[in-house]
Every structure is written in structure tokens, then in C-alpha cells.
């Protein structure tokens, strides 16, 4: 890795760790290995969103050409959000693509992702199924996103009706996450989820 | 043509495969092209005679007759890497080269650079990184004050890290100037965007080409006159030229060909 990239990322790493947001446990970053090529980021779900109380892990890969090209970031923790793929964790965010500027830092990235959780852009979706639900059945989207936070991101409580439906599918031999995906994308309609899973 | 349809050996690269992510393919190809350009052209090349331009267009009557009109006025050309930063790299190189021969200008530029940092903070650029780019530029200028030679300018402008940092700093200066004069510049921005949005999309990201607005803003901010000679398929033999800012005697000359800028040297 180019020297300039390593120097920059080392300093940015410290900037995140020492930041006010890190003190409040809102963002964090850790090393993966010892060469600063790959980092593990962490953001807390913002208050007054279905992600409140959740903690999301992020995979951050630093390219050779950093900071002139953006870091490659994706969600490791599964999340239900219009701009993040519920399958791969890929993110649709302008600053991680064509609007990256060399003056931005890891801290900017983590805070921007946190802001994205609070303000989705369903018209520029990464996950079309989630975006459709977001626009057409917003209350159900909020419930579903909250339930994903419960199942995958450490939030203690989740919708008990949803739990029952997931359990029923699991009794039919479906894996927990598979059941969750099928039910979420079928607006929690049991019959449609079964059809999708078994047809 | 008809034979090809049933020819099993014909390449099938154009067939649409729904299992392949087309966006990813396009991105990969763009990346490959960018890497080829990077491997094959210096960020700022060596000093070539203007005859090398003539040779480039020996089969093109429109361009070659236009290049001929450049000959009495200009003697040399220095090519820059076509990576979207060509205007800025050309500007930096030509200006630093001018400065090593005009010490008073170097002193003035250093003063301007010093004061520019605070301006960038006021606009809201992060201290942490802006300072990095600024310090790098100051270091380069101080170094040229001591040992100012064309070899140093060539070395600085072709060292990837340094050269790119200088480019980034100019991008920030352009963005700051546009945002400070947003009321005026808003009339020239297309697509219903605000000046701030324009800066975020078209100025601050690396590898984004410089257009009229960028050049107007940079030359006004730094206070340096640039003359651009436009070599295109427009009517007439003579090249159209434009001075930025209009009322300033140009000290830098650039050759524009659609999508690209190189440095010109006066005869």
C-alpha cells in the first residue's frame, strides 16, 4: 500500500477513536490484521429510528489509491434499509461512489452512514424490495426494520407476532434468516412467504 | 453478415447475460482504461517540440492546418496525463515553473497560500485533512524558494502522492471561491443544482474534469492569468483563445483539445 495511504489511514484511525462520537459509543473502528488495509467499523443506530439501540458492523477496505479513491464499505450486520442490500450489505451512498473527495475521512464516512440510517433515500435504492415497502407501507417497513435490528443487531425487544411467524417457518425446516427474508419481502403475509420459499 | 449469425465461433461478448452485473463490468472496464493511461503517460511529460503536435495530426487536414497557426507563437508543448486532473496539473506545473523564474511571484503565491488555509476552514472543510494538503503545498513552495530548478518542479509534479495532494488543494480553493461567490456563480450552474451541490459533485472529487467555471474560479482565487488556446473543429484556421480572468495578462498558456489540456510554451 502506498505510503501516503497508510499515513493517512493511521491518522484517521486515531481521529475516530478520539472523537466525541466514539466517546459516546456512536462510532468506532478496529484493525483487522496489522496493515491498515482492512478495518472493522461500527455505528450505533440513531435514536428515533427503527435502528435505535442497534449496533452495526461494517467491513472497510482501504484501496491502494486512498485517499484519492473512496474506501470500500459494506454492512456485515444484516439490515433492512432501502439504500443497503438486505442480501449482500452493499451500500448506495454518493460519497462512497462518485462524490468521494480526498478531504473526507473515515469519521466522515461513519457519520454519513449513520445519517443515512436516519434519512433513507428510497428513490435511489440499493434494495428495491425494501424501498417498495418503505414507500408503499411505511408503518410495516418501520416494524420490519426494527425487527431486523432485534434479530441481527442486538436490540433486546422485537415484534412478537413476527417472531411467531418466523418460528412457524422454522418448524417447517426453513433457516431463521431465510424465513426472515421471505416474510419481510412478502409484507409478513405467511401464505405468500410459504409460496416463495417452497415453489 | 448473415453467415455470422449461425457461426458458433463468432465472439459472443455482446450477448446480454442476466447473471452478470453490468454496472460492475462497466466499472471494471473503466478501471482498466484508467490503469492503462496511468501506466503509459507521465502526470506531466517532457518538453516536446511543437512539431510533435503536427505529426499527431499529419492525416487530419483540419487540425494540422490549425496547428500550423500555433507555430509562430508557440515553440513547445508539455503533455499531461488525461485523467481528469489535466487542467489542474498543467496549471500547477506551468505556474511553479513561472515562479522559479519570477521570485516575486513565488513570494506573493506563498503569502496567498498561507492565508488561504483559514478561508478553507471558514467554508467548512475539515481541518484534519485540509491542513495536510495545505502543508504539502507550503512544503513544495518553500523547497522551490531554496532550490528552485525545473528538475525539482518536474520531480514534484510527477511524484504521485505530492502531485495529487497539490491537485486536491486546488480543488478545495476552487470550491471555496465558488461557494463564497455563490450568488454570482449560481446563474451558471446547470441542472437545477446549488453551488454547494455542484462543488460536491463536480469540483471536490478527484479526476473530475475542469470546465469553464472551475477555471474562472481558480484564476480569480489565485490571481493568476491563464490563456487557453482551443484546438477543435470549429470554423476557420485560427485557434480561438480565451483569457482567464479577461483583464489579466496571461502567464500560463494551455492548449485545449476536447476533454483535455496540455501546457504550451511561447516562442
Amino acid at each position: 500500500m502506498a505510503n501516503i495511504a497508510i499515513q493517512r489511514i493511521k491518522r484517521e484511525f486515531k481521529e475516530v477513536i478520539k472523537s466525541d462520537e466514539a466517546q459516546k459509543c456512536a462510532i468506532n473502528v478496529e484493525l483487522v490484521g496489522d496493515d491498515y488495509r482492512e478495518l472493522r467499523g461500527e455505528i450505533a443506530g440513531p435514536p428515533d429510528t427503527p435502528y435505535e439501540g442497534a449496533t452495526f458492523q461494517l467491513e472497510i477496505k482501504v484501496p491502494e489509491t486512498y485517499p484519492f479513491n473512496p474506501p470500500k464499505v459494506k454492512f456485515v450486520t444484516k439490515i433492512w434499509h432501502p439504500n443497503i442490500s438486505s442480501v449482500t450489505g452493499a451500500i448506495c451512498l454518493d460519497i462512497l461512489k462518485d462524490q468521494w473527495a480526498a478531504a473526507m475521512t473515515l469519521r466522515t464516512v461513519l457519520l454519513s452512514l449513520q445519517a443515512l440510517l436516519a434519512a433513507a433515500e428510497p428513490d435511489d435504492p440499493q434494495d428495491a424490495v425494501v424501498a417498495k415497502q418503505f414507500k408503499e407501507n411505511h408503518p410495516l417497513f418501520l416494524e420490519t426494520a426494527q425487527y431486523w435490528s432485534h434479530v441481527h443487531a442486538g436490540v433486546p425487544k422485537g415484534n412478537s407476532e413476527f417472531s411467531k411467524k418466523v418460528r412457524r417457518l422454522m418448524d417447517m425446516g426453513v433457516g431463521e434468516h431465510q424465513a426472515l427474508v421471505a416474510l419481510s419481502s412478502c409484507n409478513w403475509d405467511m401464505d405468500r412467504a410459504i409460496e416463495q420459499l417452497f415453489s | 453478415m448473415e453467415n455470422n449469425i449461425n457461426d458458433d465461433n463468432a465472439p459472443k461478448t455482446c450477448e446480454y447475460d442476466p447473471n452478470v452485473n453490468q454496472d460492475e463490468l462497466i466499472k471494471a472496464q473503466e478501471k482498466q482504461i484508467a490503469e492503462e493511461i496511468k501506466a503509459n503517460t507521465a502526470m506531466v511529460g517532457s518538453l516536446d517540440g511543437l512539431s510533435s503536435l503536427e505529426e499527431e495530426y499529419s492525416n487530419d487536414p483540419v487540425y494540422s492546418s490549425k496547428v500550423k497557426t500555433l507555430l509562430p507563437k508557440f515553440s513547445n508543448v508539455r503533455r499531461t496525463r488525461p485523467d481528469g486532473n489535466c487542467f489542474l496539473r498543467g496549471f500547477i506545473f506551468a505556474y511553479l515553473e513561472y515562479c522559479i523564474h519570477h521570485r516575486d511571484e513565488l513570494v506573493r503565491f506563498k503569502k496567498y497560500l498561507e492565508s488561504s488555509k483559514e478561508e478553507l476552514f471558514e467554508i467548512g472543510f475539515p481541518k484534519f485533512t485540509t491542513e495536510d494538503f495545505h502543508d504539502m503545498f507550503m512544503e513544495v513552495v518553500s523547497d522551490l524558494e531554496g532550490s528552485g530548478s525545473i528538475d525539482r518542479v518536474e520531480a514534484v509534479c510527477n511524484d504521485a502522492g505530492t502531485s495529487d495532494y497539490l491537485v486536491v488543494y486546488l480543488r478545495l480553493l476552487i470550491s471555496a471561491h465558488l461557494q463564497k461567490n455563490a450568488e454570482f456563480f449560481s446563474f451558471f450552474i446547470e441542472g437545477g443544482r446549488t453551488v454547494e451541490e455542484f462543488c460536491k459533485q463536480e469540483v471536490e472529487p478527484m479526476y473530475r474534469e475542469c470546465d469553464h467555471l472551475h477555471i474562472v474560479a481558480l484564476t480569480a482565487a489565485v490571481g493568476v492569468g491563464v490563456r487557453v488556446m482551443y484546438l477543435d473543429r470549429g470554423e476557420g484556421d485560427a485557434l480561438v483563445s480565451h483569457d482567464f480572468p479577461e483583464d489579466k495578462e496571461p502567464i500560463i498558456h494551455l492548449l485545449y483539445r476536447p476533454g483535455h489540456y496540455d501546457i504550451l510554451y511561447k516562442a
Side-chain angles (χ1 to χ4, degrees), chain B residues 26-148:
Chain B
I26 292 168
K27 265 193 231 154
Q29 191 178 20
E30 281 174 353
K31 199 178 164 201
Q32 194 194 341
I33 293 169
E35 269 163 18
E36 272 171 33
I37 289 173
K38 208 167 150 183
N40 296 330
T41 43
M43 286 190 262
V44 182
S46 56
L47 194 64
D48 293 332
L50 215 59
S51 56
S52 67
L53 268 183
E54 278 189 289
E55 282 158 26
E56 246 182 82
Y57 295 115
S58 56
N59 293 321
D60 187 324
V62 176
Y63 271 60
S64 71
S65 70
K66 285 198 172 185
V67 168
K68 282 198 178 74
T69 69
L70 280 173
L71 279 170
K73 294 175 215 145
F74 298 96
S75 59
N76 293 86
V77 60
R78 213 186 260 275
R79 289 173 175 78
T80 64
R81 180 184 288 173
D83 64 356
N85 292 318
C86 55
F87 171 81
L88 296 172
R89 257 195 258 278
F91 177 91
I92 291 167
F93 189 100
Y95 185 47
L96 292 181
E97 185 176 13
Y98 179 88
C99 281
I100 58 173
H101 299 121
H102 300 83
R103 287 309 168 115
D104 43 339
E105 182 65 20
L106 189 61
V107 171
R108 187 194 73 80
F109 181 54
K110 199 176 168 187
K111 267 194 196 138
Y112 162 75
L113 265 188
E114 263 167 6
S115 65
S116 66
K117 185 167 77 169
E118 287 304 320
E119 261 176 58
L120 296 182
F121 293 160
E122 275 167 36
I123 292 287
F125 289 115
K127 255 196 169 159
F128 174 73
T129 45
T130 304
E131 218 150 47
D132 258 16
F133 307 127
H134 175 263
D135 292 351
M136 179 74 92
F137 221 135
M138 288 302 287
E139 212 175 283
V140 166
V141 169
S142 302
D143 173 59
L144 288 179
E145 261 184 332
S147 59

